[in-house]
Amino acid sequence: MRTVAVTGAGSGMGAALSGRLTAAGDRVIGVDVQNAEIQADLGTPAGRAQAIERVGEASGGVIDGLVTCAGLNGLPDRPASLLISVNYFGTVELLAGLRPLLARGTDPAAVAISSNSTTCAPGIDEALVAACLAGDEEAARAQAGDGESVSTYPVTKTALAWWVRRNAVTPEWAGTGITLNAVAPGAVDTPLLQEGLDDPTIGPLIAAFQAPIGRNGRPEEIAALIAYLLGPDARFFCGSVLFCDGGMDAQLRSDDWPSPWKP
Ligand SMILES: NC(=O)c1ccc[n+]([C@@H]2O[C@H](COP(=O)([O-])OP(=O)(O)OC[C@H]3O[C@@H](n4cnc5c(N)ncnc54)[C@H](O)[C@@H]3O)[C@@H](O)[C@H]2O)c1
């Protein structure tokens, strides 16, 4: 029986994944502000420390998988600084803090949830991405400010994808046998997406942004991909960012990736 910690387990993709893993016989330790075994606010350093400590207690100090689903959508009336704390620091600090528990696990694997907004949202503030990656939460929050967070959402997901790619290949991750990868979903029918659709300003824009396959994703489809990345057939994946978005990235950016190396 594997032990897998899942943040954001209380809803959407994290809940779908938790149900799938539990049905397959895994022990899931859910972390969320709601509907989870461990209730913690990953938007604060104290909440993250509490979550890491309690996952340690619940697991006996050993986990075989970690999936970071917790996150907030960007909204016109949600502060940008909050997204910096929840989506970026609330994810990378859990990955770093629980890495020692993974290192003691069997065929350990970590999967972070990024987004196809990393490539499909125009004009990402790369200076703010750099501020996140620099690791100073207060500085990044100040740089983001307390205005709208719609444009900050892709910043947090880009910084996260790059953090995953930078760290996956290091001695601490690949060198200790832990696979670290990211999934980049497109629009998936969850409460997070619905919150955006319900917003009078951005709702119509989201609704107009239709994927080529003609529908949104289902949480179960993303859960299946994550379950694969956690499993024995995915041990060759290292630092990959897997897009699962109904073709939106391929449609908008067909020739931009693979991007030739120009030394
Ligand atoms: N739904 C989409 O269209 C979509 C697309 C791309 C990426 N994503 C990402 O997928 C992940 C899962 O989202 P979802 O769509 O399943 O949304 P969701 O709202 O159904 O689930 C997200 C969970 O995160 C939890 N959470 C939020 N803030 C938290 C905090 N401070 N501390 C602890 N938990 C917190 C929420 O309580 C919720 O249970 C998110 O990171 C999201 O950004 C979603």
Side-chain angles (χ1 to χ4, degrees):
M1 185 180 73
R2 296 182 305 177
T3 299
V4 182
V6 178
T7 77
S11 176
M13 299 179 214
L17 175 70
S18 299
R20 181 185 175 111
L21 295 177
T22 303
D26 294 327
R27 156 90 165 102
V28 171
I29 302 172
V31 180
D32 204 306
V33 281
Q34 51 155 357
N35 303 332
E37 177 179 339
I38 297 175
Q39 305 242 343
D41 179 359
L42 301 179
T44 68
R48 291 168 211 146
Q50 184 194 6
I52 291 164
E53 186 182 336
R54 292 198 50 202
V55 169
E57 289 165 4
S59 66
V62 183
I63 59 175
D64 310 301
L66 169 62
V67 183
T68 56
C69 299
L72 291 173
N73 205 352
L75 293 174
D77 57 358
R78 178 172 281 155
S81 57
L82 179 61
L83 256 70
I84 297 288
S85 286
V86 174
N87 290 7
Y88 182 73
F89 288 96
T91 299
V92 302
E93 288 196 6
L94 265 280
L95 288 166
L98 292 174
R99 194 199 60 79
L101 283 68
L102 282 166
R104 292 191 282 271
T106 304
D107 289 338
V111 182
I113 310 304
S114 178
S115 159
N116 79 341
S117 66
T118 52
T119 60
C120 298
I124 288 178
D125 180 350
E126 293 194 40
L128 190 51
V129 173
C132 289
L133 286 161
D136 183 335
E137 182 174 2
E138 284 314 310
R141 283 176 58 95
Q143 195 165 319
D146 289 331
E148 60 81 20
S149 54
V150 177
S151 61
T152 308
Y153 182 82
V155 167
T156 62
K157 295 297 185 177
T158 301
L160 175 58
W162 290 356
W163 190 96
V164 164
R165 286 172 57 76
R166 289 180 183 189
N167 284 274
V169 298
T170 61
E172 289 75 25
W173 290 89
T176 54
I178 310 169
T179 64
L180 171 62
N181 296 286
V183 169
V188 177
D189 285 324
T190 68
L192 179 147
L193 180 67
Q194 192 58 49
E195 193 182 28
L197 288 167
D198 290 343
D199 184 273
T201 308
I202 63 166
L205 298 172
I206 298 172
F209 214 42
Q210 186 61 255
I213 68 161
R215 66 167 175 84
N216 293 336
R218 304 181 187 104
E220 293 74 19
E221 292 175 310
I222 307 300
L225 175 57
I226 299 169
Y228 167 74
L229 287 171
L230 291 174
D233 293 327
R235 302 302 301 164
F236 199 45
F237 282 89
C238 175
S240 291
V241 180
L242 287 91
F243 280 66
C244 184
D245 71 346
M248 195 171 285
D249 172 70
Q251 184 179 56
L252 288 173
R253 305 288 303 278
S254 53
D255 295 352
D256 288 343
W257 192 91
S259 172
W261 189 15
K262 297 176 181 128

